Amino acid sequence: MRIGELSAAALARRLDASGIVLDIGSASIRVRSDSKGLAAALGAVYAEFPLIDADAFCQVSASVRRVPGVRRFIHPQVEFDVDGNRPFEPFPADTHLPLLEWGVNWTLAERYNHCLLLHSGVVEKRGVGIVLPAVPGSGKSTLTAALMLSGYRLLSDEFGVVRFEDGALLPMLKGAALKNASIDVIRTRFPQARLGPSFPKTRKGTVAHLAPDLTSVERRHAPAEPGLVIFPLYQADAETTLEAMGRSQAFSKLVVNSFNYEVLGAAGFEAACKVIEACECYRLTYSDLASGIQTVDSLVDTVAARRH
Amino acid sequence: MPRWVLADATGTRLHFFDDGCAVFNPLRWETHVVDLLVGTVLEALGAGPCSLQDLVDTALEASDLDATNAERFVVDALAQLTDLRLVAVATDYAYR
C-alpha cells in the first residue's frame, strides 16, 4: 500500500498514534504529528512512497507537534522534535511541512557522516548520474525538479550522497522544495507536476514541495554511477552558456558545496576525488528552463554514448 | 645537506587530475589544490626523504624548466609547503 492511498483522516490518525516511516532510500525517517494539515501535505508530497510499519528501523525519529498552552488559540505554533531534542524555535502552525523538511534535512546533514554529503541536486538518465551542486539561490532545485519532470530519475534535490567505497551516488529522495517564482515556473511548464500545498511567508518566502515520481520512488534503493558534475546558475535574462571546467577547479567547488567534507578528513577527500574523476565537469548558466534542460540532455547523450 | 619529507607521510593524500593536484593535509585537516609540478614534488617526497637536488632532478624530468628555474621553483615550493605543514626537513621530522 502507498501513502497516497490512505485518506487524509486515516493518515492523520496514524501520524498521531504510532507515526509513519518514510523510506527515502539511504535513510528511513519516522514521522509523528498531531497536525492534520501536515497529514494532508505529507499525503500529497509522499503519495508514491510505500506505507511502512512504524516499528521499522529508522535512522531519524522526528515529530511535528502543536505547541500547547493558551497561546495556541491566538498564535498557534508547531515545534520540531528529533529523538527528544528540539533544535529550533517553534514555527507558525501553518508551516508544518517546511518545518518537518528543514528539520529532517538539518538532522541528516548533522548525522550522515558515513557518506560524503554534497549540497546538490542529483538526477540520473541513461545510466549517467548527474550531480548539480550549488549554493542556495542558484536555481538548483528548479532545474533538478524540471529534469525529473522531463524524464530523469530524481535521487535528491538537496543531498548528493556519495558512498565512500566507490563514489556511487545514493538516493535520498524527498519532496523537492521549490521557492517563490519557481513554483509557478514549474506549475506552468509541467502541468503534470504534483505539488503539495504552498506555504507563504516562510523564512525562505513561499515554499511548495514537488512530489517525487513513481519511477524515482521505486528505484530509491538503486545507486547511480556519477558521470556529470554541472554547477548550475540561474541568471535572469542570461543566454544559456555551458563552460567546461578543469577537474581540479571542479573538485575545489564541489567540496565547498558539501555539508560534511570538513569533518570527514581523508575519507571525504577520496570520495570527492572519485566523483570528479568519474565525471565531466561543467558550469551551466541559464535563464530559460527549456534551454537548460536541452543542454543537459545533450551532455547526457554524449556521456552515455561514450560509455557504451 | 638537509633532506625533505612529507610532514605526515601516512596521512597525506594526493590525487592528480588533468589540470592540477588535490592534496589532503592530515595535520591541518585542510585540502589544497596545487599545480601538477608541485604535486610531482609531493609525490617524490611521499616515496621517501629527498634532498633539494633530488627534487630539482624530479622537477627537471617532469617539466620544461631549465636547471636554474627548476631549483628556484623547488625552493619556492618547499617554502610554501612548509608553511602549510605539508613538508618538513627530515631532521626536524625525526625529533617529533
Side-chain angles (χ1 to χ4, degrees), chain A residues 246 248 252 261-262 265 270 277, chain B residues 13 15 18-19 22 29 31 33:
Chain A
S248 65
S252 299
Y261 181 81
E262 294 290 326
E270 286 171 359
E277 202 56 71
Chain B
R13 298 284 189 277
H15 189 97
D18 43 8
D19 60 336
W29 212 249
T31 301
V33 172

Side-chain angles (χ1 to χ4, degrees), chain A residues 229-242:
Chain A
V229 172
I230 302 172
F231 295 93
L233 178 62
Y234 172 83
Q235 267 183 353
D237 304 322
E239 294 274 315
T240 299
T241 56
L242 185 70

